[in-house]
Amino acid sequence: MILRRPIIGTLSTCQCKRTLHSRVTAPPIPSPTPFVPDVQTFLSLIGRDCSKFASKIPSWDALFNLSSLELRNLGVEPTRNRRYLLRWRDNFRKKKYGLGGELTAVKDGVAEFKIVQVPRELVADPRIKTSDKPQLATPMVNPDKKRIIVNVHPGEETKEGKFMLDRRVPWLSFRNGGSTIAGPHVQTVKGSDGAVAQLAVKEGLWENKRGHKVDGGERRKAMVRANRRIEERRTRAAEAAKAK
């Protein structure tokens, strides 16, 4: 006779888990940012041709409330694109923005950057990017100050002061001895000698590029290459037979 351990509470445990799952509150909806003010801009930034889904998502709240099943019913296909959209939606909710997503001074989808000087004692933090090139005392450069790159509204006049530290842009860097702004997708403004630059919203600015399969991908690579070698040997044997 075989004794088996009785199964106790399995059904009730599953039911409790399902009940708990249904009662989980939805995460809060993030507010639009100056760089990402609406659904169309968000979908354009993440790329992979997701901007074509803008007409299927009626509002900002819907973008962050719709489930994967609801998005599928609205026509957000294929599954690969829907998962990609959901992943970027979760990143935005967690404030893991792409390039420029955190900028506050934006006008008509364009953010502007300028080089300003601040007292050296205010930028003692080594994490703050500054220009440490030797500076001579000239009317334009003060050796007691350091240069940092800040985000300003297009055409805004900048003033030296501590408040500028809150508008610095850490992912930009200096070129040409600290006189030129450089960074990914950043274009310098004509006539500014590189001291003023802009970043504009464009299709695929935040896109995570997909890789491409080589010889059928990792799973089929060995088989594809073996078949290719066999075909090459057959071709060489046929050519040798014709030569005889």
PDB file of all heavy atoms in Angstrom, residues 93-105:
ATOM      1  N   ARG A  93       8.118  55.876 -17.025  1.00  0.00           N
ATOM      2  CA  ARG A  93       7.444  55.946 -15.728  1.00  0.00           C
ATOM      3  C   ARG A  93       8.459  56.013 -14.589  1.00  0.00           C
ATOM      4  O   ARG A  93       8.225  56.663 -13.568  1.00  0.00           O
ATOM      5  CB  ARG A  93       6.533  54.722 -15.563  1.00  0.00           C
ATOM      6  CG  ARG A  93       5.441  54.896 -14.524  1.00  0.00           C
ATOM      7  CD  ARG A  93       4.799  53.559 -14.229  1.00  0.00           C
ATOM      8  NE  ARG A  93       4.221  52.928 -15.390  1.00  0.00           N
ATOM      9  CZ  ARG A  93       2.971  53.120 -15.811  1.00  0.00           C
ATOM     10  NH1 ARG A  93       2.186  53.953 -15.162  1.00  0.00           N
ATOM     11  NH2 ARG A  93       2.510  52.478 -16.869  1.00  0.00           N
ATOM     12  N   LYS A  94       9.594  55.323 -14.779  1.00  0.00           N
ATOM     13  CA  LYS A  94      10.650  55.311 -13.759  1.00  0.00           C
ATOM     14  C   LYS A  94      11.655  56.456 -13.940  1.00  0.00           C
ATOM     15  O   LYS A  94      12.692  56.478 -13.296  1.00  0.00           O
ATOM     16  CB  LYS A  94      11.402  53.983 -13.821  1.00  0.00           C
ATOM     17  CG  LYS A  94      10.551  52.780 -13.474  1.00  0.00           C
ATOM     18  CD  LYS A  94      11.331  51.484 -13.664  1.00  0.00           C
ATOM     19  CE  LYS A  94      10.488  50.270 -13.341  1.00  0.00           C
ATOM     20  NZ  LYS A  94      11.238  48.998 -13.596  1.00  0.00           N
ATOM     21  N   LYS A  95      11.349  57.372 -14.853  1.00  0.00           N
ATOM     22  CA  LYS A  95      12.200  58.529 -15.165  1.00  0.00           C
ATOM     23  C   LYS A  95      13.555  58.109 -15.738  1.00  0.00           C
ATOM     24  O   LYS A  95      14.558  58.787 -15.555  1.00  0.00           O
ATOM     25  CB  LYS A  95      12.403  59.410 -13.927  1.00  0.00           C
ATOM     26  CG  LYS A  95      11.116  60.039 -13.427  1.00  0.00           C
ATOM     27  CD  LYS A  95      11.355  61.010 -12.279  1.00  0.00           C
ATOM     28  CE  LYS A  95      10.055  61.658 -11.846  1.00  0.00           C
ATOM     29  NZ  LYS A  95      10.262  62.639 -10.753  1.00  0.00           N
ATOM     30  N   LYS A  96      13.556  56.982 -16.438  1.00  0.00           N
ATOM     31  CA  LYS A  96      14.759  56.558 -17.161  1.00  0.00           C
ATOM     32  C   LYS A  96      14.617  57.034 -18.603  1.00  0.00           C
ATOM     33  O   LYS A  96      14.278  56.276 -19.510  1.00  0.00           O
ATOM     34  CB  LYS A  96      14.911  55.030 -17.099  1.00  0.00           C
ATOM     35  CG  LYS A  96      15.133  54.493 -15.695  1.00  0.00           C
ATOM     36  CD  LYS A  96      15.260  52.974 -15.707  1.00  0.00           C
ATOM     37  CE  LYS A  96      15.482  52.429 -14.315  1.00  0.00           C
ATOM     38  NZ  LYS A  96      15.592  50.933 -14.318  1.00  0.00           N
ATOM     39  N   TYR A  97      14.852  58.338 -18.782  1.00  0.00           N
ATOM     40  CA  TYR A  97      14.619  58.952 -20.079  1.00  0.00           C
ATOM     41  C   TYR A  97      15.755  58.661 -21.046  1.00  0.00           C
ATOM     42  O   TYR A  97      16.864  58.285 -20.652  1.00  0.00           O
ATOM     43  CB  TYR A  97      14.481  60.468 -19.923  1.00  0.00           C
ATOM     44  CG  TYR A  97      13.449  60.913 -18.918  1.00  0.00           C
ATOM     45  CD1 TYR A  97      13.786  61.756 -17.863  1.00  0.00           C
ATOM     46  CD2 TYR A  97      12.124  60.507 -19.031  1.00  0.00           C
ATOM     47  CE1 TYR A  97      12.840  62.177 -16.946  1.00  0.00           C
ATOM     48  CE2 TYR A  97      11.174  60.920 -18.111  1.00  0.00           C
ATOM     49  CZ  TYR A  97      11.532  61.759 -17.067  1.00  0.00           C
ATOM     50  OH  TYR A  97      10.596  62.170 -16.168  1.00  0.00           O
ATOM     51  N   GLY A  98      15.446  58.895 -22.299  1.00  0.00           N
ATOM     52  CA  GLY A  98      16.493  58.890 -23.310  1.00  0.00           C
ATOM     53  C   GLY A  98      17.165  60.251 -23.348  1.00  0.00           C
ATOM     54  O   GLY A  98      16.999  61.092 -22.444  1.00  0.00           O
ATOM     55  N   LEU A  99      17.892  60.510 -24.409  1.00  0.00           N
ATOM     56  CA  LEU A  99      18.666  61.740 -24.538  1.00  0.00           C
ATOM     57  C   LEU A  99      17.750  62.959 -24.499  1.00  0.00           C
ATOM     58  O   LEU A  99      16.834  63.083 -25.296  1.00  0.00           O
ATOM     59  CB  LEU A  99      19.436  61.704 -25.858  1.00  0.00           C
ATOM     60  CG  LEU A  99      20.656  62.610 -25.986  1.00  0.00           C
ATOM     61  CD1 LEU A  99      21.738  62.202 -25.010  1.00  0.00           C
ATOM     62  CD2 LEU A  99      21.193  62.554 -27.408  1.00  0.00           C
ATOM     63  N   GLY A 100      17.997  63.847 -23.524  1.00  0.00           N
ATOM     64  CA  GLY A 100      17.255  65.098 -23.443  1.00  0.00           C
ATOM     65  C   GLY A 100      15.925  65.009 -22.735  1.00  0.00           C
ATOM     66  O   GLY A 100      15.238  66.033 -22.588  1.00  0.00           O
ATOM     67  N   GLY A 101      15.521  63.844 -22.286  1.00  0.00           N
ATOM     68  CA  GLY A 101      14.214  63.704 -21.662  1.00  0.00           C
ATOM     69  C   GLY A 101      14.052  64.489 -20.382  1.00  0.00           C
ATOM     70  O   GLY A 101      12.931  64.841 -20.004  1.00  0.00           O
ATOM     71  N   GLU A 102      15.159  64.781 -19.702  1.00  0.00           N
ATOM     72  CA  GLU A 102      15.090  65.493 -18.424  1.00  0.00           C
ATOM     73  C   GLU A 102      15.173  67.013 -18.578  1.00  0.00           C
ATOM     74  O   GLU A 102      15.043  67.752 -17.597  1.00  0.00           O
ATOM     75  CB  GLU A 102      16.232  65.016 -17.516  1.00  0.00           C
ATOM     76  CG  GLU A 102      17.612  65.612 -17.814  1.00  0.00           C
ATOM     77  CD  GLU A 102      18.252  65.082 -19.091  1.00  0.00           C
ATOM     78  OE1 GLU A 102      17.689  64.155 -19.694  1.00  0.00           O
ATOM     79  OE2 GLU A 102      19.316  65.601 -19.468  1.00  0.00           O
ATOM     80  N   LEU A 103      15.388  67.501 -19.796  1.00  0.00           N
ATOM     81  CA  LEU A 103      15.574  68.939 -20.013  1.00  0.00           C
ATOM     82  C   LEU A 103      14.285  69.705 -19.737  1.00  0.00           C
ATOM     83  O   LEU A 103      13.190  69.231 -20.053  1.00  0.00           O
ATOM     84  CB  LEU A 103      16.052  69.200 -21.441  1.00  0.00           C
ATOM     85  CG  LEU A 103      17.383  68.540 -21.831  1.00  0.00           C
ATOM     86  CD1 LEU A 103      17.682  68.794 -23.298  1.00  0.00           C
ATOM     87  CD2 LEU A 103      18.511  69.047 -20.955  1.00  0.00           C
ATOM     88  N   THR A 104      14.430  70.894 -19.155  1.00  0.00           N
ATOM     89  CA  THR A 104      13.262  71.699 -18.794  1.00  0.00           C
ATOM     90  C   THR A 104      13.086  72.916 -19.696  1.00  0.00           C
ATOM     91  O   THR A 104      11.971  73.413 -19.842  1.00  0.00           O
ATOM     92  CB  THR A 104      13.382  72.169 -17.340  1.00  0.00           C
ATOM     93  OG1 THR A 104      14.616  72.899 -17.167  1.00  0.00           O
ATOM     94  CG2 THR A 104      13.378  70.981 -16.383  1.00  0.00           C
ATOM     95  N   ALA A 105      14.162  73.408 -20.283  1.00  0.00           N
ATOM     96  CA  ALA A 105      14.078  74.587 -21.155  1.00  0.00           C
ATOM     97  C   ALA A 105      13.990  74.116 -22.601  1.00  0.00           C
ATOM     98  O   ALA A 105      15.006  73.911 -23.270  1.00  0.00           O
ATOM     99  CB  ALA A 105      15.288  75.501 -20.940  1.00  0.00           C
TER     100      ALA A 105
END
